[in-house]
Amino acid sequence: MQIAVPRESAAGERRVAIVPEVVAQLTRAGHRVRVEKGAGIRAGFTDKAYEDAGCETSGAGADLYSGADMVLRVQRPDNGEVAKIGSGTVLVGLLQPGADVSLFARLAAQGVISCSMELVPRTTRAQMMDALSSQSTVAGYKAVLIAANALQKFFPMLMTAAGTVRPAKVLVIGAGVAGLQAIATARRIGAVVEAFDTRPVVKEQVKSLGATFVELDVVAEDAQDAGGYARELSEDHIRREKDLIHQRAIGADVIITTALVPGRRAPMLVSAETVKAMKPGSVIVDLAGEQGGNCELTKPGETVVHNDVTIIAPLHISSDLAFHASQMYAKNVAALVTLLAPKGSLELNFSDDIIAAVCVTANGEVRHAPTRERLASASPMAGLSR
Ligand code: NAD
């Protein structure tokens, strides 16, 4: 198959969908890869590196898309880019199935087979394709570095001739993929870490990373669904949780929040009152900003200072570590391409649970039920889902 890899057009996006390292895997399977000139440079991959790996490089527009059977991207295409994707072409990317649904109506009408990386099931077989996990790993790591940079204190304990420095105290709220990586990173640079999640099953993982698990008496079945994802908690649970977080926040130098519930606004867990009670100079990095934020004072994409507490809510944080974020994402995408076209040509086998789950549009139809329902109701929020 002819594969096209465009330069990402979204503001601030530095990642690229395919890196030179994975090209051999694709060409071995009989694919030809054409990369738009400059597509990888913001992530540290030169045109020459792609050419050396066996890719063709081309200009944007018709040159890139002509004869393309597959278009591999990081972010959603804009309207101009959608117009260039031909009928029967496979489009793979982080297409944000919960965002503006009109994209999928257009893709279906154009006959594009669109596959959204967010919809890869969280199963063992699909692990190689799990871009949510790979990008969350990047985000959790980077959040700690952002916090350490903003904090006017050391993270590690130091014993120097000028006295002993006590280690920073970090509270991580939400111990999913991003939270666990944040715990590991904060521990690696010497902080004392406490972590909290409503799913009691993560307690052992938190402890194995050398952090203390802060417990709230939540029944496991109330906290997570059959797929292992967090459920939205009752108002009473959230109130008790906020009280608990308030108590732990008072002693923290840094709070990293990562709490998400699929298809819902992020739970609001750190109140303005809690921020007011924190030590001056403390730092909150809110990774849930794209879903509304876990802190009441979060402004997504901005840094605000309230009562001498700095609240940072970076958006598209994985793009800040573009080299490795691209490398990991490219491996996820190449694994999906291999599944979709194992012998060089497309085998759209909907009895495969991964293909059935990721495919949003095919054969002129919207296959993904929540997207179909949202289009039918024409309500941008109805049936919001991963
Ligand atoms: P996520 O990004 O959806 O959510 C982040 C974390 O926030 C979760 O751990 C969740 O429990 C927590 N959370 C939600 N509400 C909260 C609240 N009110 N207070 C505190 N914490 C709260 O999570 P994720 O990282 O995508 O992981 C979700 C699930 O998927 C987990 O069970 C994880 O083990 C599983 N998973 C499985 C695989 C696999 O099998 N291949 C891969 C990755 C993740």
Side-chain angles (χ1 to χ4, degrees), residues 120-128 130 132-134 136 172-180 196-202 205 216 223-225 227-233 237-238 241 245 257-263 266-269 291 294 386:
V120 167
R122 304 312 266 289
T123 57
T124 307
R125 188 169 80 93
Q127 251 170 8
M128 274 296 291
D130 188 352
L132 282 186
S133 286
S134 68
S136 292
V172 176
I173 302 175
V177 179
L180 289 170
F196 174 73
D197 196 297
T198 46
R199 294 181 299 123
V201 291
V202 297
Q205 294 169 44
L216 181 75
Q224 68 176 54
D225 62 19
Y229 280 108
R231 285 187 202 278
E232 195 168 33
L233 294 182
H237 270 119
I238 291 284
E241 184 180 346
I245 288 170
T257 71
T258 74
L260 292 175
V261 178
M268 207 289 287
L269 302 171
Q291 274 75 37
N294 292 140
R386 272 173 193 268

Side-chain angles (χ1 to χ4, degrees), residues 1 29-31 70 337 339-348:
M1 297 183 82
H31 306 301
M70 267 195 192
V337 169
L339 181 73
L340 289 166
K343 296 184 202 113
S345 59
L346 187 64
E347 292 177 24
L348 210 53

Side-chain angles (χ1 to χ4, degrees), residues 27-46:
T27 49
R28 257 199 318 273
H31 306 301
R32 295 175 306 283
V33 185
R34 188 185 294 147
V35 178
E36 182 177 337
K37 281 195 195 323
I41 197 67
R42 290 168 297 180
F45 304 102
T46 61

